[in-house]
Amino acid sequence: MCGRYVAAKDVKSIVEFFDVDLVGENLAPQSWNVAPTVPVNVLIDTVPKGASASEPTRRLEAARWGLVPTWAKDVAVGSRMFNARIEEAADKPAFKKAVAKRRAAIPASGYYEWRTLADGSKTPFYISPGDDGFLVFAGLYEWWRNPAAADDAPDKWLLSTTILTQDSSGPLSEIHDRMPVVLDVDALDHWLDPAMEGDIDLLTDIADEGAAISSDLDLRQVGGAVGNVRNDSPALLEPVA
């Protein structure tokens, strides 16, 4: 699974690295302890009305971490949907429409995972590229219409997202049985392409690519302070001697 991650890059760095065309409002700030239900920054490609499908606009937007399906009565359901199992996403009612048309990428610096020891205690690890580069999670997004809000209310529409996960492999399987699906930056255009209908074949391909990328990630044991979401600073990344 992926329930905590690090988003240490500033907006300028994200915009420049990913060639963002349109920057949304109220973007999420840098954080070293991102948790579900908070706003996070996502990359999505869309085709503006009247534009060619071959020229999508890359947008950087803030989305609630925890996908809220279009049919949800309220946002509470999103607190349980911050991850989506890639093996099931194309068939699950909450995710299958997003797989087809609303795929996202979530830029990060790394993420945290906890290894459960024989005595039941848990040890946190920070997992990252190890070179201060970007780690990009494969995700899905949805727009949810708030039935209780007026048509002109700022909260009429909510953008939300989820991070896809897969079975862990290699060294990561010694920490946890699930890991986020990591995207190859060179495959980003293909994954985000709004003109392409996503299906199980696409999900299988990116899962295979993600497993290969994840096998080279750096694993670092860190302190227990990361377990408290109130703690949020670069100090959380310091290795435990």
Side-chain angles (χ1 to χ4, degrees):
M1 63 178 295
C2 178
R4 297 285 182 83
Y5 74 91
V6 175
K9 302 291 187 180
D10 59 26
V11 169
K12 183 175 182 291
S13 298
I14 297 172
V15 169
E16 292 178 351
F17 187 84
F18 294 102
D19 295 324
V20 173
D21 301 306
L22 181 62
V23 180
E25 299 179 353
N26 302 316
L27 292 175
Q30 292 168 271
S31 175
W32 289 262
N33 201 357
V34 184
T37 74
V38 305
V40 299
N41 294 327
V42 300
L43 296 162
I44 60 176
D45 282 4
T46 60
V47 179
K49 187 175 181 180
S52 168
S54 63
E55 299 176 355
T57 295
R58 178 147 303 164
R59 299 166 55 179
L60 180 66
E61 301 282 357
R64 187 180 193 269
W65 186 15
L67 190 135
V68 181
T70 56
W71 43 259
K73 294 180 179 180
D74 55 48
V75 300
V77 68
S79 63
R80 304 190 301 274
M81 295 189 182
F82 56 90
N83 285 165
R85 296 173 69 92
I86 197 166
E87 310 94 311
E88 304 171 351
D91 297 318
K92 287 280 189 179
F95 306 124
K96 63 182 182 179
K97 289 185 178 180
V99 168
K101 290 294 183 182
R102 291 181 286 277
R103 298 176 299 276
I106 297 92
S109 302
Y111 70 99
Y112 300 105
E113 196 53 85
W114 280 257
R115 173 190 285 165
T116 301
L117 304 180
D119 62 1
S121 62
K122 294 185 177 182
T123 301
F125 284 79
Y126 177 57
I127 302 164
S128 72
D131 60 0
D132 197 36
F134 277 98
L135 194 64
V136 186
F137 302 133
L140 308 171
Y141 74 92
E142 279 290 5
W143 286 99
W144 176 75
R145 183 176 182 275
N146 183 354
D151 288 342
D152 59 350
D155 62 345
K156 186 64 178 179
W157 291 95
L158 172 72
L159 177 64
S160 64
T161 191
T162 188
I163 294 174
L164 290 164
T165 68
Q166 65 185 113
D167 285 337
S168 293
S169 59
L172 292 177
S173 62
E174 299 177 9
I175 298 177
H176 198 275
D177 63 346
R178 302 291 295 180
M179 64 184 184
V181 178
V182 178
L183 287 169
D184 183 337
V185 173
D186 291 335
L188 202 60
D189 290 350
H190 182 61
W191 171 249
L192 296 179
D193 185 357
M196 181 183 66
E197 184 159 339
D199 56 18
I200 188 62
D201 291 334
L202 174 62
L203 298 184
T204 300
D205 287 345
I206 66 155
D208 290 344
E209 294 169 1
I213 297 170
S214 294
S215 66
D216 293 328
L217 295 179
D218 178 72
L219 315 180
R220 178 195 312 169
Q221 184 177 339
V222 293
V226 68
N228 188 333
V229 295
R230 296 186 183 89
N231 297 324
D232 189 357
S233 77
L236 296 176
L237 307 185
E238 292 297 322
V240 171

